[in-house]
C-alpha cells in the first residue's frame, strides 16, 4: 500500500475572498494532467472539499472521488497576508495557538486531518490511496505517518500541483 498526497494545482487567486473558496486556475490544467502518470491506475481516491482540490482530483482521475470535509486545509481567515510563508512558519513554531487572528491552531488542523487520513487508511488497508488536498495539511500528515518533525523546507518547496508519497 502506498499513500499519495497530491497538493492541488495553482488556484485562481481572488483577493478579498478566503483561499478555501478559490477555484483551480485553468492555466494550471497541463501541470495537473502531468501528474496522472505518477499516480496508480487503481486506488481509492478522496479529496478535500475545497474547489481547487476537487477540480484537481477531477483532472487526475476518471474514477470516483470521495469528498472528505476533514481533509480541508489549515483554516485561515480571508485576509491577505503579505508574509504568508512567515505566518505559516509561526504556526508550526507555536502549533497550540493561532499564528494570526482568524487562523486555526495548527494542532487542531493536525488532529482533524490526521484522524481523517488514518480512517481512510484503515478502511482501505492494503490498497493504494490517493488524497488530493493542501500543502500545510499534507506536511502535518507526512510528519505524523513517518514519525518525523514537519519538514518546513519541503513545505516551502512544494509546487502547485505536487506529490508526496508515503510508503
Amino acid at each position: 500500500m502506498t499513500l499519495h498526497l497530491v497538493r492541488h494545482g495553482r488556484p485562481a487567486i481572488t483577493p478579498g475572498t478566503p483561499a478555501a473558496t478559490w477555484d483551480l486556475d485553468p492555466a494550471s490544467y497541463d501541470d495537473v494532467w502531468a501528474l496522472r502518470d505518477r499516480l496508480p491506475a487503481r486506488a481509492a481516491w478522496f479529496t478535500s472539499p475545497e474547489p481547487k482540490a476537487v477540480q484537481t482530483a477531477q483532472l487526475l482521475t476518471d474514477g470516483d472521488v470521495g469528498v472528505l470535509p476533514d481533509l480541508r486545509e489549515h483554516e485561515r481567515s480571508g485576509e491577505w497576508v503579505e508574509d504568508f510563508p512567515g505566518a505559516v512558519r509561526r504556526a508550526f513554531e507555536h502549533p497550540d495557538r493561532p499564528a494570526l487572528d482568524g487562523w486555526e491552531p495548527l494542532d487542531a488542523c493536525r488532529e482533524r486531518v490526521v484522524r481523517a487520513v488514518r480512517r481512510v487508511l484503515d478502511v482501505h488497508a492494503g490498497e493504494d490511496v490517493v488524497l488530493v488536498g493542501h500543502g500545510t495539511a499534507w506536511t502535518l500528515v507526512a510528519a505524523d505517518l513517518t514519525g518525523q518533525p514537519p519538514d518546513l523546507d519541503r513545505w516551502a518547496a512544494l509546487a502547485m500541483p505536487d506529490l508526496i508519497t508515503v510508503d
Side-chain angles (χ1 to χ4, degrees):
M1 186 270 330
T2 302
L3 173 62
H4 305 271
L5 301 170
V6 176
R7 184 184 195 191
H8 60 78
R10 189 175 62 254
I13 297 172
T14 308
T17 63
T21 66
W22 295 347
D23 285 314
L24 187 64
D25 185 339
S28 74
Y29 287 8
D30 287 342
D31 295 334
V32 173
W33 283 321
L35 280 182
R36 281 183 82 123
D37 293 339
R38 295 175 55 196
L39 296 167
R42 297 190 60 191
W45 282 76
F46 297 92
T47 184
S48 155
E50 294 186 25
K52 59 190 168 280
V54 171
Q55 293 158 5
T56 296
Q58 290 170 336
L59 291 175
L60 289 173
T61 184
D62 298 323
D64 293 333
V65 179
V67 176
L68 299 178
D70 284 344
L71 295 182
R72 68 190 179 279
E73 178 62 300
H74 176 222
E75 293 179 9
R76 305 172 182 128
S77 65
E79 301 293 322
W80 187 258
V81 177
E82 285 301 322
D83 183 16
F84 180 75
V88 172
R89 286 187 182 278
R90 282 194 306 280
F92 278 99
E93 289 167 4
H94 304 285
D96 59 325
R97 60 182 186 246
L100 295 172
D101 287 341
W103 283 33
E104 173 185 37
L106 210 54
D107 282 345
C109 177
R110 175 185 291 124
E111 182 178 326
R112 169 178 45 80
V113 176
V114 167
R115 183 178 51 240
V117 170
R118 288 194 176 276
R119 277 194 310 261
V120 168
L121 294 177
D122 286 346
V123 169
H124 295 279
E127 297 177 58
D128 284 337
V129 174
V130 179
L131 303 178
V132 181
H134 312 279
T136 303
W138 292 163
T139 298
L140 295 168
V141 168
D144 183 81
L145 294 177
T146 63
Q148 300 295 316
D151 186 341
L152 294 184
D153 291 334
R154 181 167 62 179
W155 171 83
L158 283 172
M160 291 185 207
D162 213 336
L163 175 63
I164 299 170
T165 303
V166 181
D167 290 313

